[in-house]
Amino acid sequence: MFRRVGLQHCGYNLHMPKLVILDANSLLYRGFFAMRYLSTSDRTPTNAVFAFVMMLLTILEREKPDAIFAAFDHPTPTFRHKELASYKAQRKPIPDDLKPQRQPARDAAAAFNVPVIEVEGVEADDAVGTLAEIAKNEGFEVLIVTGDGDALQLVDDEQGPVKVMMMVKGVTDTVIYDEKAVRDRYGLDPSQIPDLKGIKGDASDNLPGVPGIGEKGASKLLGQYKTLEELIYHVDELPVKQRDALIAHTDGALLCKRLATILRDVPLGDIDLNDNYQETGPDFAAVRALFEKLEFHTLLRRLPGLEAAQRAKGGAAPPAALTTPVTRSQIEHSVPTNAAAIDAMLARFTAANAPVGIQLHFTPAKATLMDASLKGVGLAIDGAGAYVDWSNVSPALKAYLEDASKPKTVHDLKFAAGVLGRNGVELRGVTFDTHVAAYLLNAGRAGYPLRELAADFAGTELLFDEDDPESSVADEAAAIAALREPLMARLESDGLAQLLFDIELPLAVVLARIERTGVTVDGDILKEASKRLAELMAGLEAEIYAIAGEEFAIGSTKKLQEILFDKLKLPAGKKNKTGYSTGAEVLDDLAAKGHEIASKIVAWRELSKLKSTYADALPALINPETGKVHTSLNQTATSTGRLSSSNPNLQNIPIRTEVGREIRKAFIASPGCVLVSADYSQIELRLFAHMTHDPGLVQAFAADDDIHSRTARLIFKIPEGQPVTSDQRRQAKTINFAVIYGASAFRVSAELGVSQAVASELIKTYLASYPGVREYLEKILDDARAKGFVHTMLGRRRYVPEVNSTNYQFRQAAEREAANMPVQGTSADIIKLAMLKVDKALTDQKLAAKMVLQVHDELLFECPESEVRTLAALVKEGMESAFPLDVPLRVEAKSGRNWWEVTPLEDLDEVEFSPQS
DNA sequence: GCAGTCACG
DNA sequence: ACGTACGTGACTGCC
C-alpha cells in the first residue's frame, strides 16, 4: 500500500563548501543573443551585461556559494590562435555591440566582490577548467555556469562533484548537468564531449568536423569506440559512407577535438579559494551605482531583499551557507492509493499539529483557476511527504481539506481555493500563503515562483521533474511547509503579518469566488457592435486614404509617420525612439491646426481599439461551460497593493467616451438579476486629506463641500458668494490630481493649455493654500530616503531605492512613486477591507447577491431585482465604514440591467438591513 | 519580444 | 539644461 520512494542521492555532501565559476565570456555571448534590444537611454547597449548580472544575481540568491569567480578571456592571442591561424580568423567576429559590454561586466563582478580571473594567453574556458580541477581536489563542490556546451566535459560526479549549469533559453532558464544528465542528453560520458565535438564540428567556429556524421551517429560510434582516436584506428570497420567521410576529415576532426578540449592546467597565479563569499557579500553601494549607470531599474528593486538577507547573516554568525547549505529538496514521501492508507497518512500528518504544506498537481502548467485540470495533491510536514492522485482522494482527505481547525500552508491560496472549489472541495484552514507573503515582503518582484522563494528564503533547490510529478509535487509541498517559518519571521520583523492574516488571506478566498462566479457578457451585442465599428472604420479609412493620396496600414505607426511627416509634410512634434510620435497628443495638436486627417486617424484609432480589444476579443473569452467571462484578479501584480485584472482585463472597460461606453451594454446580469455598482467618491483625495492633516482639505470633506470647487476658490482666489465657473473647477480638478501624482508644471500646463509660468503659479498657490500637503510630501520623502521604502496606513510597503539616486531623472521618478504609493496603496487596502466586510455581510444576511468585480474604487454585484435596495444599502454602509478616517468616506450606489445603464439609487440610508458593525 | 498606443482607476 | 504624472493590461506591427 505505501510505495516507498527512497531518499535519492543527489551527490551533494552537505558539509562540502561550494564554489561557483562563471564563464563570463560565454555568458555574455549567449546573453547578448538571448536578450536583444536592451540599452540605456543614450543607446549604449546593455543587453549582454544585463543578462550576465541577472545570472550573477540569480546564482547568488539561489546557490549561496562559499566562493565564486568570474573568468574572462584575456585579449591577447592564445594557444588556439597559434595552433590554427584560420581558427579565429574564420570565426564570426564578436558583435560590435558586445565588445563595449565586457568592461561593465567586469565592473559588475567587482561591485559584487566576485574576483575576476583574466590571465594573459588564457581563454576563459581553460581558466574555468583549471579552477574546477584545483577546487575539486581541494574538496569543493563545484558549479560551473556557462552557455557553452563544451564545458560539459568537466562534469564529474566522483570527485567534487563538478556540475555544469547551462543556459538553455532566455537568461535565467538553466539546466544543471551531472554525469547522468550528460548521459541522458548525449548518451556519452562527460570525457567524450570533445570527441563528439570533433566529429560534429562547430558551425559557429567554421569547423566542419566530419560532414555526414551527425550528433546521433557520432554518439553511437563513440558509445562503441570510446574516443575519436580509437574510432580512427578502427575506421575500416565502419560502413562505407561513414568510413570515407572520416578518412577525408581525419585531420579536421582531430583538430576540432583538440580545440574543444578544455585545458585544466593553465597558469592562473594565486587564487584564494577559501575566501568566503557569504561573509564578504556584494558592495551594495557600488552595485547600486553601477545599476543606476546602466539603468537596471528592475534589478535595483531586487537589491533591498538581497541586502536584508546579507545583513541578517550578521558578522558574528557562522557563514550562512555552511550551516544552511543549498540543498536539493527531496523528501521521503508515500503514495497512498486507498482510503485506509490515506487515513494513516492523515493521522501521521495531523498528529504533530504543525501546519501541513499543501500543493496541487494540475495541468496545464500555466493554468488559471478556471481551467486547471486537477491531477492530485501533495502534502508535507517537516521531513515527510505524500502524494495522492485525485482519483484516489477519499472522503476523509476531502474532510481534512475542508476542516478549518487543521492548519495548512499553500503557495497561492486564491488558486488552490478556486481549483479545489471547482472540484467540490471547499478549502479551509489555510493559515499561511507563501505566494502572498513573498509579495508583501517585496511587491516589486516580477513574480513569486515557488522555486525562487525556496532558494531565496529556505536555501533549497527545487526542481520539477516532469517524469516524476508525484515526487516533485511532494517536494513542493515540503518546500511550502519549510518556507512558512522564514517568511513569517520576515513578515513579523517588517510589520506585515497582520496585512497577510487579516486582509490578503481571507481576500484570496473571496477573489477565487469572484473569478469563479464570472460576469455575464452578451456576445451577440458585441458581435453587432463589431460589425458597426467595422463599417465606421471603413468609412474613415476611405477618407484617410483620400487625403493621404494612397492606401496604407493606418495601424502602423511607422507607415503613419511616413505619410504624415514625410509625404504630407505636417509639422512633427514629439520624438520617440523610432522617430516622430504619432500619439493622440500629437494628432490632437495637428487636428487643432485644421489638419483633418489627424482627427480622422484619432477617430479611427478609437474605433479600432474598441473593436479589437473589446468587441472582438471578449466574445471569444466567454467560457462555454458557464456562459460567462472569468477574469483573473491578480493579487500579487502591482507595486502599490492594488489588484490587477487579466484575461480579459475587466478593469479597463471603456466609459470615458460615448461610443466606447456602448461596450458596457454587453455587460449584463444573470437572468432575473440586475447589476449593482458602488463606487467610492474621490477616495484618494479623501485619503490625502486624512494623511496630510491639512485643515483646509479635511474641512472641505467634513463639510461635504465639492472639493474641486473649493480648490478653485483657493487657487483662483474667488471670494465667498461669487460663483466658480466650470472651467475653473476643471482646472482645479487637474491640479488636485497633479499633486497626488507629483506632476510638474510642464505637465500641468500641457493638461490645462496654459503657460508653464501660469501652471507653476497655480501649483505654488495650491501648496500655499493647503500647507499640510507640502509638509506631508516632505516627510514622506525624508522617510523614503532614510528607509528605502514607503508604506500605506496599514503598513504595506513599496521599496523605492532610487530616491537616493544621483541621477536626477531616476530620482525624480522614484520620488513621484514614493509620494503616490501611500495614497494609492491605502485606497487599495481600504477597498480590500470593504470587500471582506461586504462579503461577510452577504453571507450573514443570506442574500443571493454576488460580488462579480472590483475596479479599484468600485465594486460590482449582481442580485435578484427584489434585493437591490437591501444590497445597495448594505454595500454602501460596508464600504463607507471599512476604515474610519478623519474625513468621511462616501459611496454612491447605482443599479441597472447592464453596466451601461446603471443609475443612482437614492435614499439608501433609510433601508433596513440590520448592519453588522 | 519590443515599441507604440490606448483602455481604465 | 534636463525631461516632464501614479498604477495597470491588451493589441498591432515589426524584427
Side-chain angles (χ1 to χ4, degrees), chain A residues 586-660:
Chain A
V586 174
L587 294 179
D588 282 344
D589 242 27
L590 291 172
K593 287 178 188 156
H595 299 292
E596 267 195 48
I597 191 170
S599 53
K600 289 189 195 301
I601 291 165
V602 170
W604 183 88
R605 282 230 182 113
E606 182 184 8
L607 302 181
S608 162
K609 181 86 171 181
L610 294 173
K611 181 169 184 297
S612 65
T613 307
Y614 306 103
D616 291 342
L618 285 172
L621 289 166
I622 297 173
N623 184 313
E625 281 174 39
T626 64
K628 298 187 179 188
V629 168
H630 302 267
T631 185
S632 293
L633 290 169
N634 313 305
Q635 200 178 1
T636 61
T638 72
S639 40
T640 57
R642 274 190 177 179
L643 300 177
S644 85
S645 161
S646 55
N647 299 307
N649 182 351
L650 294 186
Q651 289 180 324
N652 71 348
I653 302 303
I655 192 169
R656 292 175 188 171
T657 68
E658 272 311 315
V659 48

Side-chain angles (χ1 to χ4, degrees), chain A residues 183-422:
Chain A
R183 274 192 293 273
D184 287 351
R185 169 71 180 77
Y186 295 100
L188 297 171
D189 286 335
S191 63
Q192 294 173 295
I193 294 290
D195 301 277
L196 176 69
K197 192 69 174 290
I199 299 172
K200 229 178 58 169
D202 187 334
S204 73
D205 279 0
N206 244 327
L207 296 168
V210 182
I213 308 182
E215 185 171 311
K216 273 224 169 127
S219 160
K220 209 173 140 202
L221 292 173
L222 289 171
Q224 193 179 343
Y225 297 100
K226 304 301 173 206
T227 69
L228 179 59
E229 288 79 2
E230 199 60 23
L231 178 63
I232 291 167
Y233 185 78
H234 294 282
V235 68
D236 291 337
E237 299 167 16
L238 303 187
V240 188
K241 260 192 176 170
Q242 292 190 338
R243 188 193 66 190
D244 293 349
L246 185 55
I247 291 173
H249 294 92
T250 301
D251 290 348
L254 284 168
L255 175 66
C256 190
K257 174 179 173 180
R258 190 160 150 67
L259 291 172
T261 303
I262 295 173
L263 303 181
R264 307 183 190 203
D265 56 356
V266 295
L268 291 182
D270 282 343
I271 283 175
D272 181 8
L273 291 180
N274 293 311
D275 176 27
N276 190 304
Y277 187 78
Q278 292 303 314
E279 284 169 5
T280 324
D283 175 349
F284 283 101
V287 170
R288 188 158 290 131
L290 185 74
F291 282 8
E292 272 167 15
K293 191 173 137 199
L294 299 172
E295 302 178 13
F296 291 169
H297 308 293
T298 50
L299 294 184
L300 265 171
R301 293 192 191 289
R302 269 172 73 174
L303 286 180
L306 201 67
E307 202 164 3
Q310 187 74 33
R311 267 202 313 275
K313 282 172 206 150
L322 293 177
T323 50
T324 53
V326 175
T327 54
R328 282 276 175 85
S329 158
Q330 281 187 320
I331 60 156
E332 202 168 337
H333 71 277
S334 62
V335 185
T337 54
N338 62 49
I342 291 173
D343 284 355
M345 170 206 73
L346 285 174
R348 200 153 59 104
F349 278 11
T350 53
N353 209 30
V356 177
I358 306 281
Q359 173 76 330
L360 302 185
H361 178 215
F362 60 91
T363 56
K366 47 175 178 33
T368 68
L369 67 85
M370 282 306 293
D371 53 36
S373 161
L374 186 57
K375 299 291 174 199
V377 55
L379 301 91
I381 50 174
D382 186 23
Y387 177 87
V388 183
D389 194 277
W390 195 250
S391 63
N392 294 329
V393 165
S394 66
L397 180 51
K398 287 189 182 173
Y400 163 77
L401 291 170
E402 296 192 329
D403 187 343
S405 73
K406 298 286 192 291
K408 305 168 186 82
T409 307
V410 298
H411 181 75
D412 197 345
L413 171 56
K414 188 194 79 174
F415 180 83
V419 173
L420 286 172
R422 278 178 45 235

Side-chain angles (χ1 to χ4, degrees), chain A residues 352-624:
Chain A
N353 209 30
V356 177
I358 306 281
Q359 173 76 330
L360 302 185
H361 178 215
F362 60 91
T363 56
K366 47 175 178 33
T368 68
L369 67 85
M370 282 306 293
D371 53 36
S373 161
L374 186 57
K375 299 291 174 199
V377 55
L379 301 91
I381 50 174
D382 186 23
Y387 177 87
V388 183
D389 194 277
W390 195 250
S391 63
N392 294 329
V393 165
S394 66
L397 180 51
K398 287 189 182 173
Y400 163 77
L401 291 170
E402 296 192 329
D403 187 343
S405 73
K406 298 286 192 291
K408 305 168 186 82
T409 307
V410 298
H411 181 75
D412 197 345
L413 171 56
K414 188 194 79 174
F415 180 83
V419 173
L420 286 172
R422 278 178 45 235
N423 286 274
V425 173
E426 194 168 335
L427 181 62
R428 294 194 193 87
V430 173
T431 49
F432 202 87
D433 179 345
T434 54
H435 183 242
V436 173
Y439 168 68
L440 289 173
L441 287 175
N442 183 1
R445 287 174 73 137
Y448 304 88
L450 183 57
R451 200 165 51 86
E452 279 181 27
L453 303 188
D456 292 356
F457 294 97
T460 51
E461 180 186 9
L462 204 54
L463 296 170
F464 197 96
D465 183 351
E466 296 292 344
D467 299 329
D468 188 7
E470 296 182 355
S471 149
S472 296
V473 171
D475 284 348
E476 288 181 344
I480 291 165
L483 275 168
R484 179 171 179 144
E485 259 191 58
L487 287 171
M488 183 62 208
R490 290 283 305 275
L491 287 174
E492 289 276 13
S493 65
D494 288 357
L496 294 163
Q498 211 182 343
L499 218 39
L500 177 71
F501 298 127
D502 293 352
I503 297 187
E504 301 296 350
L505 228 39
L507 182 71
V509 179
V510 174
L511 294 178
R513 196 157 52 234
I514 293 175
E515 288 188 26
R516 287 185 61 201
T517 300
V519 182
T520 313
V521 171
D522 186 330
D524 294 337
I525 292 181
L526 290 173
K527 282 169 197 153
E528 267 313 304
S530 174
K531 268 193 229 161
R532 271 210 46 221
L533 289 167
E535 289 162 15
L536 293 170
M537 284 167 71
L540 282 167
E541 279 159 26
E543 295 174 24
I544 291 167
Y545 297 155
I547 302 175
E550 67 178 285
E551 296 196 1
F552 66 100
I554 305 171
S556 160
T557 50
K558 196 163 159 268
K559 301 258 167 55
L560 190 55
Q561 267 170 40
E562 289 164 15
I563 297 287
L564 292 180
F565 305 124
D566 295 340
K567 185 169 180 189
L568 298 179
K569 305 251 184 285
L570 301 187
K574 279 196 313 189
K575 274 195 179 183
N576 57 31
K577 280 185 191 171
T578 56
Y580 289 106
S581 163
T582 65
E585 238 172 278
V586 174
L587 294 179
D588 282 344
D589 242 27
L590 291 172
K593 287 178 188 156
H595 299 292
E596 267 195 48
I597 191 170
S599 53
K600 289 189 195 301
I601 291 165
V602 170
W604 183 88
R605 282 230 182 113
E606 182 184 8
L607 302 181
S608 162
K609 181 86 171 181
L610 294 173
K611 181 169 184 297
S612 65
T613 307
Y614 306 103
D616 291 342
L618 285 172
L621 289 166
I622 297 173
N623 184 313

